[in-house]
Structure formats: structure tokens, C-alpha cells
Amino acid sequence: MIMTYNRIIGQITQGLTGDAAADMQYLKAQMEKYKNHKMSQEILRACGRMMYELIPADRKEELGKVIDNELKGVEATLDEIRFNIYKNNLATAMKLSEALVESVERNPMFKSDEVSEYFSFYEFFEELMYEFYNNPEKTIRQVELPFAEIYFQHGSLLFEQKRYVEARNILSKARRWNPVNAKIAFEYMETYKVLGEIEQFAELTKETFQYAFKAADLARCYRNLGYYFVEKELYKEAAGCYLMSLQYDSENKTAQSELYYIQTKAPRGFKEPTLDELQEYGVKYGFPIGASDDVLGLAFSYGKHFAQDGQTEGAIYCLKIAYELTNDQGINELIEKLMNKDET
């Protein structure tokens, strides 16, 4: 399929002359020619992208304003939904959210095809992780509309109304648009927790360690496992996980209270696990002790790459991720050097 597509697009590209008006008509003719092809959607989209490049700058600016206005409208609706949730006007929030979901589901522009995959990542590092873990053959395209956030917000509303199965279905759509976001993953797995499906809850948590590139998210992964082990009455394992969570979120009240609860429930003479014991639990149950090596490797290697390439902002962004997860003073010194260099 990809070879067929590449051959056709190559042939179409060779027919371009450099005369914008003539090329625009030529591309329209090519779109008509291939409209019934088995890969028509992919070919027509590629022609559309080529046509966009031929549009004069002032027309591009006009189109940009149209897209920007649409995006602002969606963001305004999301803000209104959040405000109504804050004011506890849940019926109004749900009505607005349902309408927003219906409107984006009618939008055919960003459906993945044989050539392109469309995603709604929250930030750059998520895209890096997706490409690293999945090595996609298709072209990754980031959409402007916040599809992941739209579905996340709607799923969260359904969850608050105790419509857990419906919430799970909607949150699975949020995960489709952003499969590497920990916030979405946590909300999704809560539907398993609240319905008593704790084995699946634990498995989803262990999967999410590989996407936890913020200290708070890593801490929550450990708290989730702490909850699982308490439910299993495996108190030493649970205590170890809550202690690990406090390494990344030292003020968290949930972890602190759960450690106290464990002390009251565990057998007499209970002792918190040593680091060696905790590492054994990690091997036995399949979870890392500390941040994912892949996440740290990505953050540090891209940070160095951007620094060498003179992209200071990107370097600082990636190195800050590595520093937050490790508290490595050597990384902090690199960040400070880059920040000082950027100021001079």
C-alpha cells in the first residue's frame, strides 16, 4: 500500500511545473483522476497539502485565521465546561461536553489512513515517546484541535456521574488520540479500580511507568501499585511503593496516610522494606524502581542533541525532564549553563 502511494505521489510531483496557477489546475485534475482509487483518501490529502503550498501568503494567512478561530471556539467551550464543573453545574457541563464531542466526531479531516496517523499530543516529549516506543511506518501528524482533551474532559464528567463503563469507552478515545499521556491513562484505569477490576488496574499502571516523564505522574504510578498491594494484603510491597511515591511527591497526603494505615493493619513487628527487597518486588511484579530508563535516555540524549545543534530552548526543555526525575546536579549544571548562555 505504502509503495503504491509513494509511486503515485512521486508521479504527481514530477508533473508540477513551478507555475502556481497551472499547478493548481493540474493538482485538481489529479484529484479527479484518483478520486475512486483504493487509496483515494491518502492521495487526495497529499494533493491538498501540495495545493496549500501553492496558495499565496495572504490566502494562507486567511486560512490560518479561520483555523485559529475554530480552535479558539473549542478552547472557549472547554473553558466553559470547566467553569460549570467548578460551579457544580454538572448538567450544563455535560450538555456542552456532549455537543462538543458530537461536533468533533462529525469532522472527517483527521481520521488516520494508510499513510498518516493523526494525534493530539499535549507536548513535544509525548511525540518523542510515541515514536520511540512504536517506531511507526506512517507519518505522524499533530492536529491543532485538542481531541484528546475533549474526550478526556467528557470521560471525566461521565466518571463523576458514576457512568463508569461509558466513561471508559470515551476515555479509550482520548487514549487513541494521545496514547502516551499519563493523565489520560490514570483516569482510564480508575474505571477499572472503581469497578473492582484491580488486576487490570495494576497492569495498566505498570504499562504507564514507561510514559511517566513527570515526577508527579511517577509518584502516582507508585501510589496506584500501593493501593493494589494493600488490597492483596501484601503490606511490605505496598509500603515500598508508597515510600517510592514520596521520593517523587514528598508532600502527598494520600501516600502518608496509607503508610500509617499499613502500620495499623500489618502483622506485629512489621518493618518497611529495604531497597534490596524493593528491587526484588520490582522484578517479581514487573515494575521499575525509579524512572524508566527509556524516558531518561530520551530526555538526556535529545537534550544534548538540541544543545549541540544550538537549539537552547529544546535542550533546556528535555534536560529539565531528566533533572526532575533524577535530581542529578550534573544535569542541573548543564541547564544553568544553557540558561546563562541564552541570556548573553
Side-chain angles (χ1 to χ4, degrees):
M1 280 284 198
I2 297 293
M3 291 297 292
T4 301
Y5 168 83
N6 287 338
R7 188 171 62 252
I8 291 171
I9 297 304
Q11 290 171 351
I12 292 173
T13 303
Q14 287 176 5
L16 295 170
T17 64
D19 181 312
D23 285 344
M24 189 69 78
Q25 293 304 314
Y26 164 74
L27 288 169
K28 287 179 181 178
Q30 294 301 304
M31 292 172 78
E32 180 67 22
K33 175 181 176 180
Y34 288 104
K35 68 179 182 181
N36 295 318
H37 192 275
K38 60 185 176 181
M39 295 193 72
S40 60
Q41 180 173 251
E42 292 82 356
I43 295 166
L44 268 57
R45 281 176 168 174
C47 288
R49 288 190 288 272
M50 285 187 260
M51 290 173 76
Y52 177 77
E53 294 303 318
L54 297 172
I55 295 173
D58 57 340
R59 288 287 311 281
K60 283 182 181 176
E61 188 176 343
E62 287 176 22
L63 284 172
K65 287 178 181 177
V66 170
I67 294 168
D68 189 50
N69 287 337
E70 183 180 4
L71 180 58
K72 285 179 179 176
V74 170
E75 293 289 359
T77 302
L78 283 169
D79 286 340
E80 190 175 356
I81 291 166
R82 295 183 191 111
F83 177 75
N84 277 284
I85 292 170
Y86 171 73
K87 299 295 286 184
N88 205 33
N89 299 327
L90 298 185
T92 301
M94 179 58 74
K95 185 176 180 181
L96 289 167
S97 187
E98 285 175 341
L100 187 56
V101 167
E102 287 173 8
S103 72
V104 298
E105 290 195 334
R106 288 195 299 268
N107 189 331
M109 286 183 61
F110 304 113
K111 295 190 185 301
S112 295
D113 54 42
E114 293 293 330
V115 174
S116 304
E117 282 188 278
Y118 294 87
F119 292 98
S120 177
F121 297 117
Y122 285 84
E123 57 182 285
F124 173 66
F125 198 76
E126 292 177 341
E127 186 173 346
L128 284 184
M129 288 193 298
Y130 181 81
E131 292 185 349
F132 175 80
Y133 287 124
N134 295 279
N135 193 25
E137 293 183 2
K138 297 180 184 180
T139 300
I140 301 302
R141 299 191 187 279
Q142 169 77 1
V143 299
E144 293 292 332
L145 290 175
F147 286 98
E149 183 65 17
I150 290 166
Y151 284 113
F152 170 79
Q153 187 66 78
H154 192 55
S156 298
L157 265 171
L158 289 166
F159 187 94
E160 290 302 313
Q161 294 189 352
K162 301 183 175 9
R163 295 160 63 179
Y164 302 123
V165 175
E166 292 175 79
R168 183 184 299 175
N169 290 336
I170 290 294
L171 289 166
S172 70
K173 294 184 178 183
R175 296 192 79 201
R176 143 65 197 106
W177 282 101
N178 191 340
V180 295
N181 180 266
K183 177 184 77 168
I184 294 170
F186 288 135
E187 192 77 354
Y188 177 74
M189 67 182 75
E190 281 296 306
T191 66
Y192 289 90
K193 176 182 174 182
V194 77
L195 292 172
E197 301 171 59
I198 63 167
E199 296 299 333
Q200 187 63 21
F201 172 73
E203 287 304 311
L204 287 165
T205 295
K206 285 185 277 188
E207 289 174 13
T208 303
F209 273 100
Q210 66 184 321
Y211 307 128
F213 67 97
K214 297 178 181 178
D217 292 337
L218 190 55
R220 183 164 176 179
C221 283
Y222 283 116
R223 290 199 302 275
N224 278 5
L225 287 186
Y227 171 87
Y228 169 77
F229 287 127
V230 166
E231 290 294 296
K232 292 290 187 177
E233 298 183 357
L234 297 168
Y235 295 116
K236 249 194 158 176
E237 290 89 335
C241 286
Y242 283 119
L243 287 168
M244 282 299 299
S245 78
L246 288 169
Q247 293 293 312
Y248 297 96
D249 187 2
S250 60
E251 301 299 320
N252 189 272
K253 301 300 182 186
T254 299
Q256 293 169 357
S257 64
E258 285 299 316
L259 281 169
Y260 176 77
Y261 172 79
I262 289 168
Q263 292 287 347
T264 67
K265 296 294 291 184
R268 185 184 296 274
F270 172 80
K271 292 182 179 179
E272 292 174 347
T274 64
L275 180 58
D276 286 343
E277 287 176 317
L278 188 54
Q279 288 172 336
E280 289 175 9
Y281 300 150
V283 172
K284 181 177 179 180
Y285 296 103
F287 63 89
I289 305 304
S292 161
D293 289 340
D294 290 332
V295 168
L296 292 175
L298 272 176
F300 189 67
S301 62
Y302 269 90
K304 287 190 71 176
H305 167 73
F306 286 137
Q308 291 166 359
D309 205 33
Q311 300 183 53
T312 306
E313 187 177 345
I316 293 171
Y317 166 78
C318 289
L319 290 172
K320 279 186 174 180
I321 290 171
Y323 177 64
E324 181 180 333
L325 295 172
T326 62
N327 202 32
D328 185 311
Q329 290 308 307
I331 296 174
N332 192 42
E333 288 173 10
L334 283 174
I335 293 169
E336 288 179 353
K337 284 180 182 177
L338 287 165
M339 291 177 74
N340 291 334
K341 179 183 175 182
D342 202 38
E343 288 174 0
T344 58

